[in-house]
Amino acid sequence: MERKSYCPYCMTPVSENEICSVCGLTAGTYIPSPHHLPPGTVLMDRYLIGRVLGEGGFGITYIGCDLRLELKVAIKEYYPVDRATRNASASLEVTNFIGPSAKSFERGKHKFLSEAQVMAKLDKQNVIVSVRDFFEINNTADSLTIRRSKTTERFGRRAEPGRITMVRVFTAGAVSTRPTVQG
């Protein structure tokens, strides 16, 4: 089965190397920073990575697509800049620093995973992002969330009205490819 191509800017299905009819941009014009996951990366054979939406001191948010459900997603990666590093051209794995930073990195990872688990239990709250799935891969852990918001338009004009699907990525201590579904 041939995989569809998606615009890395808005995750609209496009023909390869063509201008996106929604955002007007072309895939080849986006160049990520060396520590960002490259557009086209697929996590868990399901979540396609696009461009960076934002970055702060402890994380990177990417636009993406759930290839199984064909939904636009946001992928939040726990990436504390003062405790970890990555050169995506060499490896997708995040490497945490040694010493006191390593303990802080692990505490932060644990807090993110705990938050994902709590949010999974708050599934039907309209004002709270709800976690659908989370897993560990490439020294990171991911959680799938859905949220109602006016910011849907940031993901492209053809997004479902009022709905955003988000995948949250947290850095974890070990590589695992088994999804953990929270009820």
Side-chain angles (χ1 to χ4, degrees):
M1 183 171 133
E2 190 174 319
R3 182 170 278 166
K4 291 182 184 178
S5 292
Y6 290 85
C7 172
Y9 294 97
C10 69
M11 285 294 136
T12 299
V14 294
S15 296
E16 203 162 325
N17 297 321
E18 287 192 10
I19 294 174
C20 176
S21 63
V22 173
C23 70
L25 299 171
T26 308
T29 59
Y30 177 74
I31 300 171
S33 293
H35 67 284
H36 294 161
L37 291 170
T41 300
V42 178
L43 303 175
M44 299 298 293
D45 292 323
R46 181 172 181 174
Y47 304 114
L48 177 67
I49 301 291
R51 73 176 175 92
V52 170
L53 293 173
E55 181 173 8
F58 69 92
I60 305 167
T61 303
Y62 307 87
I63 190 168
C65 182
D66 180 332
L67 297 171
R68 188 177 305 154
L69 300 176
E70 296 187 353
L71 292 173
K72 293 178 185 182
V73 299
I75 299 170
K76 179 72 175 177
E77 179 179 36
Y78 174 64
Y79 185 88
V81 295
D82 60 342
R83 295 177 212 129
T85 188
R86 170 177 51 217
N87 180 347
S89 65
S91 174
L92 298 181
E93 291 202 25
V94 171
T95 304
N96 58 302
F97 298 152
I98 58 173
S101 291
K103 289 180 182 179
S104 179
F105 177 87
E106 289 300 319
R107 276 194 309 272
K109 174 202 60 168
H110 178 73
K111 286 180 182 180
F112 267 88
L113 293 172
S114 295
E115 176 187 313
Q117 190 172 36
V118 167
M119 292 171 66
K121 294 175 183 176
L122 299 172
D123 183 38
K124 301 297 181 193
Q125 305 297 318
N126 287 336
V127 294
I128 299 173
V129 175
S130 62
V131 174
R132 298 292 211 204
D133 183 22
F134 60 92
F135 54 88
E136 297 179 27
I137 188 171
N138 293 330
N139 211 25
T140 65
D142 307 87
S143 68
L144 176 67
T145 64
I146 297 176
R147 156 180 141 175
R148 296 179 191 273
S149 172
K150 291 182 180 180
T151 59
T152 302
E153 289 300 312
R154 290 185 192 171
F155 292 88
R157 295 184 187 137
R158 295 186 182 170
E160 290 180 54
R163 299 203 49 91
I164 296 176
T165 304
M166 300 179 76
V167 176
R168 195 167 264 187
V169 181
F170 308 102
T171 302
V175 176
S176 172
T177 57
R178 292 180 300 147
T180 304
V181 180
Q182 297 297 312

